[in-house]
Amino acid sequence: MSIQETTPGVVFATEHTTEHTAEYSAEVASFTGHVVQAATGIPLFIGYTQTATADGKSVVGQPISITSLEEYARIFGGAAQVEYDYVSLTQAYPPYAVNAATPAFLLYPGLQMFFSNGGGTCYVLSLGTYAGVISNGSVFSKDAYTAALAGLAGLPEPDTLVLPDAVYLALDDWASVSQTALRLCSETQNLVYILDVLNGYLPSDGSSKDPITGGTGNGGFYKVAGLGEDFNQYGVSYYPWLNTNVVSVSAIDYTWISAASLPQFSADLATEALELFALQPADKLQTYLTTLVDTLTQAADPATVRQRHLGLQAASPLYRQTMQNLATSVNLLPPSSAMAGVYTRNDATSGVFHAPANTSIIDAVSPAVMLDDSQQAKINVPLNGLAVNAIRVFPNFGMLIWGARTMAGNSDDWRYVNFKRIVIMLDKSIRTALKSYAFSANDNSTWSAVTASINSFLTAQWKAGCLVGSSPAEAFGVIMGMGSSMTAEDILQGMMRVSIKVALTMPAEFIILEYEQQVLVPA
């Protein structure tokens, strides 16, 4: 890995004078150049929002830092009101399709899962509003994603990228956006992309609808395979989707059924009322149900809607089952947002070097597809290396994240996501510290200071368990100076170079990180 840095640093110096004396003093920060560990577990979410206004100005297309769902709501609003097309209870899972005029936008419920699972600071970039998408025929276009991703190269803090609404793109567009995101991560070298499997609520059974292989080995998730390991090492994916409880069934009533479907729903309820009456003669029951059914399609105030809802809930098994199916539909979510929260929780409790696996997902009820050992092996260790991590249920342990592989599953160095995230953290930490030497002389004194600072930082990381080896010499090394990392020509050109080797998997099995810093003071 070669990382070039040419941005001048900042000199921390202040001047003080006083009226009573002619004394002059200059204070220079004693820790200039000290390497401080960069923050981790800070995702960037890109998706559609209800609004996008801060201080009376539009913030569409701008990454905004937030720390809570309440702060998000002040800028971006709330969840979309989803309506479903009512269909027979015999329809295959999931039970209901979203009405085309009211898409189930996934950024807001995704953030609910993020914060529930330990998320803290994150960035949100709005691609536009719900109303804008609906006015465009509810078509999700890759162009908005492509434009947004193109402007993110200079955003230094986030280390994770999440695109919750990308699962609504057509297959080829989804693959194109995923490849663009992976390319961005490779170019910036400071992001890991958590990629959702398109239609990940369907079983991976080798059929034409298999969300992993597409039934041929060239469709589904494998559509993104063309970039190769250099890019895929920045991607990580989880399967299947999750049944969650972010929306309570008590919050759902018949207004969640599209207006075009309500007449059929009313007719089905009326038929059920007659059947109940035939089996259990009761004039009051028949009259009650018939009255409620007849008024379902009429506009009503919230209090009246609630009254009718409670009445039908108590009297009609069909109505109760329908509301439960609606709750199942709206709570079926791709796992990327929840996993971003798990990453944050993992970093806070165990450290970024710890694999974000063998842990539960809060507010997730069950995986949408139950996997066994053989099914997991097919997706987690495929021949093409494009690994997908399983979310599974185990007896006595419940639901667990059961895998921590990147999409470069055949890479010896970058097979596991925690190794990639370690290097991103080390890189950001060291790169930031090197900026403060932009105004230092490119000589032995500066080289000694840089070497000592990086050595101190890496020693602390080794002691914390981030690097492997029985001694610091087995865990890392810093190479800097004339004849080792720099030539005479480099020094004449004001180019300070440092080479760092770190052991992540085996002692003395090093990954090399190389840095360049343009200095503005001649040696």
Side-chain angles (χ1 to χ4, degrees):
M1 177 187 298
S2 178
I3 301 169
Q4 297 187 1
E5 179 58 65
T6 58
T7 305
V10 177
V11 175
F12 296 95
T14 57
E15 297 180 357
H16 299 273
T17 60
T18 136
E19 299 181 46
H20 306 292
T21 69
E23 295 178 357
Y24 170 87
S25 65
E27 297 180 1
V28 180
S30 60
F31 291 100
T32 298
H34 183 67
V35 184
V36 178
Q37 179 175 328
T40 60
I42 301 177
L44 167 63
F45 292 91
I46 299 178
Y48 292 93
T49 58
Q50 184 181 39
T51 61
T53 305
D55 298 325
K57 298 179 181 178
S58 172
V59 292
V60 171
Q62 301 178 28
I64 304 296
S65 176
I66 64 167
T67 57
S68 68
L69 206 58
E70 291 75 17
E71 190 175 358
Y72 170 92
R74 287 196 296 270
I75 301 171
F76 299 106
Q81 174 58 58
V82 186
E83 292 182 2
Y84 291 88
D85 290 329
Y86 174 75
V87 293
S88 168
L89 292 175
T90 61
Q91 182 189 5
Y93 182 88
Y96 295 105
V98 179
N99 183 265
T102 57
F105 298 94
L106 297 176
L107 178 56
Y108 183 83
L111 281 167
Q112 288 179 288
M113 292 295 290
F114 169 70
F115 287 115
S116 294
N117 280 278
T121 299
C122 66
Y123 284 78
V124 175
L125 187 153
S126 174
L127 294 174
T129 63
Y130 305 153
V133 175
I134 293 171
S135 66
N136 193 39
S138 298
V139 175
F140 289 77
S141 169
K142 73 173 185 179
D143 294 340
Y145 287 96
T146 302
L149 292 169
L152 294 178
L155 192 63
E157 192 172 17
D159 64 345
T160 311
L161 179 64
V162 185
L163 311 178
D165 290 324
V167 295
Y168 289 134
L169 294 167
L171 177 60
D172 288 344
D173 288 349
W174 167 81
S176 175
V177 167
S178 299
Q179 291 175 342
T180 300
L182 289 170
R183 190 177 296 110
L184 168 72
C185 294
S186 177
E187 290 171 355
T188 62
Q189 299 187 350
N190 63 0
L191 288 167
V192 166
Y193 174 33
I194 306 180
L195 171 63
D196 285 313
V197 174
L198 199 69
N199 300 322
Y201 52 84
L202 297 175
S204 180
D205 54 7
S207 70
S208 60
K209 294 184 178 180
D210 187 323
I212 306 296
T213 68
T216 64
N218 298 312
F221 178 74
Y222 289 165
K223 288 283 284 187
V224 303
L227 290 175
E229 289 184 355
D230 287 346
F231 294 92
N232 290 343
Q233 63 183 266
Y234 293 93
V236 57
S237 189
Y238 297 86
Y239 169 84
W241 288 18
L242 303 171
N243 294 312
T244 72
N245 56 10
V246 294
V247 179
S248 170
V249 67
S250 63
I252 297 174
D253 55 43
Y254 61 84
T255 62
W256 290 61
I257 297 176
S258 64
S261 300
L262 272 176
Q264 181 60 52
F265 185 41
S266 299
D268 290 346
L269 287 175
T271 299
E272 181 195 48
L274 292 175
E275 293 173 350
L276 289 173
F277 172 73
L279 295 173
Q280 197 176 38
D283 292 342
K284 290 184 178 179
L285 176 63
Q286 183 186 19
T287 302
Y288 189 53
L289 280 173
T290 303
T291 300
L292 287 170
V293 167
D294 289 344
T295 58
L296 275 183
T297 56
Q298 299 176 12
D301 61 89
T304 304
V305 169
R306 187 65 180 168
Q307 181 183 21
R308 294 173 185 169
H309 166 72
L310 293 175
L312 284 168
Q313 188 86 0
S316 168
L318 172 60
Y319 187 86
R320 289 196 298 273
Q321 184 62 55
T322 300
M323 295 304 106
Q324 183 59 57
N325 288 347
L326 291 176
T328 299
S329 296
V330 76
N331 280 298
L332 179 64
L333 300 176
S336 61
S337 299
M339 287 307 307
V342 171
Y343 283 19
T344 306
R345 185 178 77 217
N346 174 80
D347 294 357
T349 57
S350 303
V352 67
F353 54 88
H354 190 274
N358 195 24
T359 186
S360 61
I361 302 176
I362 300 169
D363 283 344
V365 178
S366 64
V369 177
M370 294 294 179
L371 299 172
D372 58 26
D373 289 347
S374 62
Q375 291 170 322
Q376 177 187 336
K378 291 178 181 178
I379 65 172
N380 196 228
V381 194
L383 293 177
N384 65 4
L386 206 66
V388 178
N389 298 298
I391 300 173
R392 294 184 57 184
V393 172
F394 295 91
N396 303 322
F397 293 98
M399 186 172 65
L400 296 173
I401 302 158
W402 208 242
R405 289 177 178 251
T406 69
M407 289 161 50
N410 290 335
S411 169
D412 290 334
D413 292 330
W414 309 118
R415 182 176 301 164
Y416 298 105
V417 65
N418 48 313
F419 295 154
K420 172 51 66 177
R421 297 186 70 231
I422 288 171
V423 170
I424 289 175
M425 179 274 290
L426 296 176
D427 169 42
K428 291 171 72 173
S429 304
I430 295 169
R431 191 183 343 170
T432 300
L434 286 177
K435 291 180 181 180
S436 64
Y437 290 96
F439 293 99
S440 300
N442 198 5
D443 57 15
N444 278 315
S445 176
T446 299
W447 304 338
S448 296
V450 170
T451 301
S453 180
I454 296 176
N455 269 319
S456 176
F457 170 68
L458 293 178
T459 299
Q461 297 300 318
W462 168 68
K463 289 180 178 179
C466 190
L467 306 176
V468 297
S470 59
S471 67
E474 290 185 346
F476 66 86
V478 181
I479 303 168
M480 189 175 190
M482 173 75 78
S484 55
S485 67
M486 287 172 281
T487 66
E489 183 67 21
D490 291 331
I491 296 173
L492 287 174
Q493 294 179 357
M495 190 64 67
M496 184 172 65
R497 302 180 189 273
V498 57
S499 181
I500 300 168
K501 54 184 184 179
V502 292
L504 303 180
T505 57
M506 295 285 291
E509 294 286 339
F510 296 115
I511 290 173
I512 306 299
L513 309 177
E514 295 181 341
Y515 298 86
E516 295 179 352
Q517 173 65 56
Q518 182 73 50
V519 294
L520 305 180
V521 178

